[in-house]
Amino acid sequence: MKYSELLSKYIEESGLSLGEIAIRLSNKNIKIDRSYISKLKNGNKPPASEDVTRALAEVTGGDTDALLLAGHIEKAPEEIKEGLIEYNASHRMLKNESLQFHCLSALDAIRDFKNRFLTTEVIEEDLLNNMLSTLSYFTDIEIDEDLIRSNPFGASEFLSNRITKRLEEFYAANTNYSARVDLNAYNNISDIKEKKQQYEDDETSKNRKDLIEMIKQASEEDLPDLKILVKRFIK
Protein backbone atom coordinates (compact mmCIF):
# COMPACT_ATOMS: atom_id res chain seq x y z
CA MET A 1 0.00 0.00 0.00
CA LYS A 2 1.30 3.46 -0.92
CA TYR A 3 2.23 6.05 1.70
CA SER A 4 -0.77 8.25 0.80
CA GLU A 5 -3.19 5.29 0.89
CA LEU A 6 -1.88 4.13 4.25
CA LEU A 7 -2.03 7.63 5.73
CA SER A 8 -5.55 8.12 4.38
CA LYS A 9 -6.58 4.82 5.97
CA TYR A 10 -5.11 5.82 9.35
CA ILE A 11 -6.84 9.21 9.24
CA GLU A 12 -10.19 7.66 8.38
CA GLU A 13 -9.91 5.03 11.12
CA SER A 14 -8.90 7.66 13.70
CA GLY A 15 -12.13 9.59 13.22
CA LEU A 16 -10.17 12.85 13.53
CA SER A 17 -10.58 15.85 11.25
CA LEU A 18 -7.51 17.23 9.51
CA GLY A 19 -7.75 20.30 11.74
CA GLU A 20 -7.75 18.15 14.87
CA ILE A 21 -4.74 16.24 13.59
CA ALA A 22 -2.89 19.50 12.91
CA ILE A 23 -3.57 20.65 16.49
CA ARG A 24 -2.32 17.37 17.96
CA LEU A 25 0.77 17.55 15.79
CA SER A 26 1.35 21.09 17.04
CA ASN A 27 1.35 19.72 20.59
CA LYS A 28 4.23 17.50 19.47
CA ASN A 29 6.06 20.55 18.06
CA ILE A 30 5.25 19.51 14.46
CA LYS A 31 4.05 22.64 12.69
CA ILE A 32 2.08 21.65 9.57
CA ASP A 33 -1.38 22.76 8.52
CA ARG A 34 -4.44 20.78 7.43
CA SER A 35 -3.83 21.68 3.78
CA TYR A 36 -0.43 19.93 3.81
CA ILE A 37 -1.91 16.87 5.54
CA SER A 38 -4.64 16.76 2.88
CA LYS A 39 -2.05 16.81 0.09
CA LEU A 40 -0.10 14.00 1.78
CA LYS A 41 -3.11 11.74 2.11
CA ASN A 42 -4.28 12.43 -1.44
CA GLY A 43 -0.84 11.73 -2.91
CA ASN A 44 -0.35 15.30 -4.10
CA LYS A 45 2.85 15.65 -2.05
CA PRO A 46 5.72 13.19 -1.65
CA PRO A 47 5.96 11.38 1.70
CA ALA A 48 6.75 13.68 4.61
CA SER A 49 9.98 13.68 6.60
CA GLU A 50 10.57 10.90 9.14
CA ASP A 51 9.68 13.13 12.11
CA VAL A 52 6.40 14.24 10.55
CA THR A 53 5.55 10.72 9.38
CA ARG A 54 6.19 9.27 12.81
CA ALA A 55 4.04 11.95 14.46
CA LEU A 56 1.22 11.42 11.94
CA ALA A 57 1.17 7.68 12.68
CA GLU A 58 1.18 8.25 16.45
CA VAL A 59 -1.59 10.87 16.35
CA THR A 60 -3.86 8.75 14.14
CA GLY A 61 -3.11 5.49 15.94
CA GLY A 62 -1.55 3.94 12.84
CA ASP A 63 1.41 1.58 12.46
CA THR A 64 4.49 3.82 12.67
CA ASP A 65 6.86 1.27 11.12
CA ALA A 66 4.52 0.57 8.21
CA LEU A 67 4.06 4.26 7.36
CA LEU A 68 7.78 5.01 7.65
CA LEU A 69 8.64 2.06 5.42
CA ALA A 70 6.03 3.07 2.82
CA GLY A 71 7.59 6.53 2.71
CA HIS A 72 11.12 5.13 2.37
CA ILE A 73 10.04 2.89 -0.50
CA GLU A 74 8.47 5.75 -2.47
CA LYS A 75 11.52 8.00 -2.02
CA ALA A 76 14.10 5.26 -2.62
CA PRO A 77 16.21 5.03 -5.80
CA GLU A 78 14.79 2.59 -8.34
CA GLU A 79 17.71 0.18 -7.96
CA ILE A 80 16.86 -0.59 -4.32
CA LYS A 81 13.10 -0.06 -4.43
CA GLU A 82 12.35 -3.68 -5.39
CA GLY A 83 14.33 -4.99 -2.42
CA LEU A 84 12.46 -2.68 -0.04
CA ILE A 85 9.10 -3.82 -1.44
CA GLU A 86 10.08 -7.46 -0.82
CA TYR A 87 11.18 -6.58 2.70
CA ASN A 88 7.91 -4.76 3.32
CA ALA A 89 5.91 -7.85 2.29
CA SER A 90 7.91 -10.15 4.57
CA HIS A 91 7.78 -7.57 7.39
CA ARG A 92 3.98 -7.47 7.22
CA MET A 93 3.79 -11.26 7.20
CA LEU A 94 6.01 -11.47 10.29
CA LYS A 95 3.82 -8.94 12.10
CA ASN A 96 0.70 -10.87 11.06
CA GLU A 97 2.18 -14.15 12.27
CA SER A 98 3.12 -12.44 15.53
CA LEU A 99 -0.42 -11.12 16.06
CA GLN A 100 -1.97 -14.51 15.39
CA PHE A 101 0.58 -16.24 17.63
CA HIS A 102 -0.14 -13.91 20.54
CA CYS A 103 -3.91 -14.17 20.07
CA LEU A 104 -3.85 -17.96 19.99
CA SER A 105 -1.47 -18.13 22.96
CA ALA A 106 -3.85 -15.91 24.92
CA LEU A 107 -6.88 -18.00 23.93
CA ASP A 108 -5.05 -21.16 25.05
CA ALA A 109 -4.18 -19.62 28.41
CA ILE A 110 -7.68 -18.24 28.97
CA ARG A 111 -9.26 -21.56 28.03
CA ASP A 112 -6.98 -23.50 30.41
CA PHE A 113 -7.77 -21.11 33.27
CA LYS A 114 -11.50 -21.09 32.57
CA ASN A 115 -11.86 -24.85 32.15
CA ARG A 116 -9.82 -25.63 35.26
CA PHE A 117 -12.02 -23.29 37.27
CA LEU A 118 -15.15 -24.96 35.87
CA THR A 119 -13.77 -28.32 36.99
CA THR A 120 -12.39 -27.42 40.42
CA GLU A 121 -14.12 -24.11 41.28
CA VAL A 122 -10.71 -23.03 42.53
CA ILE A 123 -8.47 -20.36 40.97
CA GLU A 124 -5.20 -22.01 39.96
CA GLU A 125 -2.52 -19.36 40.54
CA ASP A 126 -0.11 -20.75 37.92
CA LEU A 127 -2.84 -20.72 35.26
CA LEU A 128 -3.96 -17.24 36.26
CA ASN A 129 -0.40 -15.92 36.05
CA ASN A 130 0.10 -17.57 32.67
CA MET A 131 -3.12 -15.99 31.40
CA LEU A 132 -2.11 -12.54 32.67
CA SER A 133 1.33 -12.93 31.09
CA THR A 134 -0.07 -13.75 27.63
CA LEU A 135 -2.58 -10.91 27.87
CA SER A 136 0.15 -8.36 28.61
CA TYR A 137 0.80 -8.22 24.84
CA PHE A 138 -2.56 -6.51 24.32
CA THR A 139 -1.88 -3.10 25.82
CA ASP A 140 -5.27 -1.70 24.74
CA ILE A 141 -7.28 -4.34 26.64
CA GLU A 142 -7.81 -3.46 30.28
CA ILE A 143 -6.95 -6.39 32.55
CA ASP A 144 -8.54 -6.19 36.01
CA GLU A 145 -7.05 -8.95 38.19
CA ASP A 146 -9.48 -8.22 41.04
CA LEU A 147 -12.43 -8.67 38.67
CA ILE A 148 -10.95 -11.95 37.39
CA ARG A 149 -10.62 -13.21 40.96
CA SER A 150 -14.15 -12.17 41.92
CA ASN A 151 -15.74 -13.52 38.74
CA PRO A 152 -13.29 -16.00 37.18
CA PHE A 153 -15.56 -17.49 34.56
CA GLY A 154 -17.33 -14.30 33.48
CA ALA A 155 -14.12 -12.25 33.28
CA SER A 156 -12.19 -14.92 31.39
CA GLU A 157 -15.11 -15.39 29.00
CA PHE A 158 -15.13 -11.64 28.30
CA LEU A 159 -11.37 -11.63 27.62
CA SER A 160 -11.67 -14.67 25.36
CA ASN A 161 -14.36 -12.90 23.32
CA ARG A 162 -12.20 -9.76 23.03
CA ILE A 163 -9.18 -11.70 21.72
CA THR A 164 -11.32 -13.76 19.34
CA LYS A 165 -12.87 -10.55 17.98
CA ARG A 166 -9.38 -9.10 17.49
CA LEU A 167 -8.40 -12.05 15.28
CA GLU A 168 -11.70 -11.98 13.39
CA GLU A 169 -11.18 -8.28 12.60
CA PHE A 170 -7.64 -8.99 11.43
CA TYR A 171 -8.83 -11.80 9.14
CA ALA A 172 -11.59 -9.58 7.74
CA ALA A 173 -9.08 -6.82 6.96
CA ASN A 174 -6.54 -9.24 5.46
CA THR A 175 -8.57 -11.55 3.25
CA ASN A 176 -5.44 -12.87 1.50
CA TYR A 177 -3.82 -13.99 4.74
CA SER A 178 -3.64 -17.76 4.30
CA ALA A 179 -2.28 -18.81 7.72
CA ARG A 180 -5.56 -18.16 9.53
CA VAL A 181 -7.12 -20.71 11.86
CA ASP A 182 -10.72 -21.84 12.20
CA LEU A 183 -11.70 -19.96 15.35
CA ASN A 184 -14.95 -21.89 15.79
CA ALA A 185 -13.03 -25.16 15.84
CA TYR A 186 -10.27 -23.62 17.92
CA ASN A 187 -12.67 -22.52 20.65
CA ASN A 188 -14.80 -25.65 20.42
CA ILE A 189 -13.16 -27.33 23.45
CA SER A 190 -14.31 -24.61 25.81
CA ASP A 191 -17.77 -24.54 24.16
CA ILE A 192 -18.22 -28.25 24.88
CA LYS A 193 -17.01 -27.75 28.45
CA GLU A 194 -19.44 -24.88 29.01
CA LYS A 195 -22.39 -26.86 27.63
CA LYS A 196 -21.46 -29.80 29.86
CA GLN A 197 -21.25 -27.48 32.86
CA GLN A 198 -24.63 -25.94 32.03
CA TYR A 199 -26.17 -29.42 31.71
CA GLU A 200 -24.68 -30.44 35.08
CA ASP A 201 -25.93 -27.24 36.71
CA ASP A 202 -29.44 -27.87 35.34
CA GLU A 203 -29.35 -31.48 36.57
CA THR A 204 -28.12 -30.42 40.02
CA SER A 205 -30.87 -27.81 40.27
CA LYS A 206 -33.51 -30.39 39.31
CA ASN A 207 -32.15 -32.90 41.82
CA ARG A 208 -32.17 -30.31 44.57
CA LYS A 209 -35.84 -29.54 43.87
CA ASP A 210 -36.69 -33.23 43.88
CA LEU A 211 -34.86 -33.67 47.17
CA ILE A 212 -36.70 -30.77 48.78
CA GLU A 213 -40.01 -32.34 47.76
CA MET A 214 -38.92 -35.69 49.20
CA ILE A 215 -37.98 -34.07 52.52
CA LYS A 216 -41.34 -32.31 52.70
CA GLN A 217 -43.17 -35.60 52.25
CA ALA A 218 -40.84 -37.82 54.29
CA SER A 219 -41.85 -39.75 57.37
CA GLU A 220 -39.51 -40.45 60.33
CA GLU A 221 -38.39 -43.82 58.96
CA ASP A 222 -37.28 -42.18 55.70
CA LEU A 223 -34.91 -39.70 57.35
CA PRO A 224 -31.77 -41.92 57.55
CA ASP A 225 -31.91 -42.51 53.81
CA LEU A 226 -32.58 -38.83 53.13
CA LYS A 227 -29.51 -37.85 55.17
CA ILE A 228 -27.35 -39.87 52.76
CA LEU A 229 -28.91 -38.08 49.78
CA VAL A 230 -28.53 -34.66 51.38
CA LYS A 231 -24.79 -35.19 51.81
CA ARG A 232 -24.45 -35.31 48.02
CA PHE A 233 -25.44 -31.66 47.87
CA ILE A 234 -23.34 -30.40 50.79
CA LYS A 235 -19.72 -29.44 50.14
Side-chain angles (χ1 to χ4, degrees):
M1 189 176 288
K2 291 182 178 180
Y3 178 94
S4 58
E5 295 170 342
L6 205 52
L7 178 58
S8 180
K9 176 175 178 288
Y10 294 162
I11 291 173
E12 182 179 347
E13 291 176 349
S14 74
L16 298 170
S17 70
L18 298 185
E20 289 171 326
I21 292 172
I23 291 172
R24 297 192 182 195
L25 290 173
S26 178
N27 293 334
K28 290 177 171 286
N29 294 318
I30 302 292
K31 308 296 184 184
I32 59 174
D33 59 25
R34 55 183 297 170
S35 172
Y36 179 67
I37 300 171
S38 176
K39 290 175 182 177
L40 286 175
K41 84 181 191 71
N42 291 322
N44 296 326
K45 282 279 187 183
S49 67
E50 185 167 322
D51 287 348
V52 172
T53 295
R54 188 181 300 278
L56 280 167
E58 290 173 356
V59 163
T60 58
D63 186 326
T64 303
D65 290 341
L67 193 60
L68 284 170
L69 189 55
H72 291 327
I73 289 173
E74 287 188 36
K75 293 190 286 187
E78 288 299 323
E79 58 267 23
I80 66 168
K81 187 173 289 189
E82 185 176 344
L84 282 173
I85 291 172
E86 289 178 5
Y87 170 80
N88 192 22
S90 62
H91 175 74
R92 287 201 314 273
M93 180 58 70
L94 285 172
K95 291 196 75 170
N96 293 345
E97 292 287 359
S98 177
L99 173 66
Q100 180 167 266
F101 169 78
H102 285 289
C103 285
L104 297 182
S105 294
L107 288 176
D108 278 337
I110 294 169
R111 187 177 62 215
D112 288 346
F113 171 78
K114 182 173 60 176
N115 289 349
R116 183 71 64 85
F117 178 78
L118 281 172
T119 302
T120 65
E121 296 187 9
V122 173
I123 292 176
E124 298 281 351
E125 291 297 324
D126 59 331
L127 294 179
L128 174 59
N129 290 333
N130 185 45
M131 180 174 80
L132 294 174
S133 176
T134 62
L135 289 169
S136 65
Y137 172 82
F138 304 95
T139 55
D140 61 324
I141 297 178
E142 184 176 349
I143 310 299
D144 187 335
E145 186 173 340
D146 291 336
L147 178 59
I148 295 172
R149 289 185 179 279
S150 64
N151 184 10
F153 181 78
S156 57
E157 181 72 357
F158 169 77
L159 292 168
S160 179
N161 289 338
R162 286 292 306 274
I163 302 300
T164 300
K165 187 171 185 294
R166 174 69 56 80
L167 258 183
E168 288 173 341
E169 289 173 347
F170 166 70
Y171 291 157
N174 297 271
T175 54
N176 294 326
Y177 183 59
S178 60
R180 67 185 63 206
V181 299
D182 182 344
L183 288 172
N184 289 329
Y186 197 85
N187 288 322
N188 193 43
I189 294 174
S190 64
D191 289 344
I192 292 171
K193 185 74 178 179
E194 287 157 32
K195 288 174 184 174
K196 179 175 181 292
Q197 179 69 24
Q198 183 61 50
Y199 171 77
E200 290 174 352
D201 288 346
D202 291 344
E203 283 295 297
T204 299
S205 178
K206 179 178 180 299
N207 289 338
R208 285 179 189 275
K209 290 177 183 177
D210 292 344
L211 183 59
I212 290 170
E213 288 301 315
M214 288 174 65
I215 291 171
K216 287 178 181 177
Q217 300 171 20
S219 59
E220 270 189 49
E221 59 267 25
D222 295 324
L223 288 180
D225 292 333
L226 285 176
K227 285 179 182 178
I228 295 173
L229 286 174
V230 169
K231 285 181 181 179
R232 292 173 50 200
F233 298 98
I234 298 177
K235 295 183 178 179

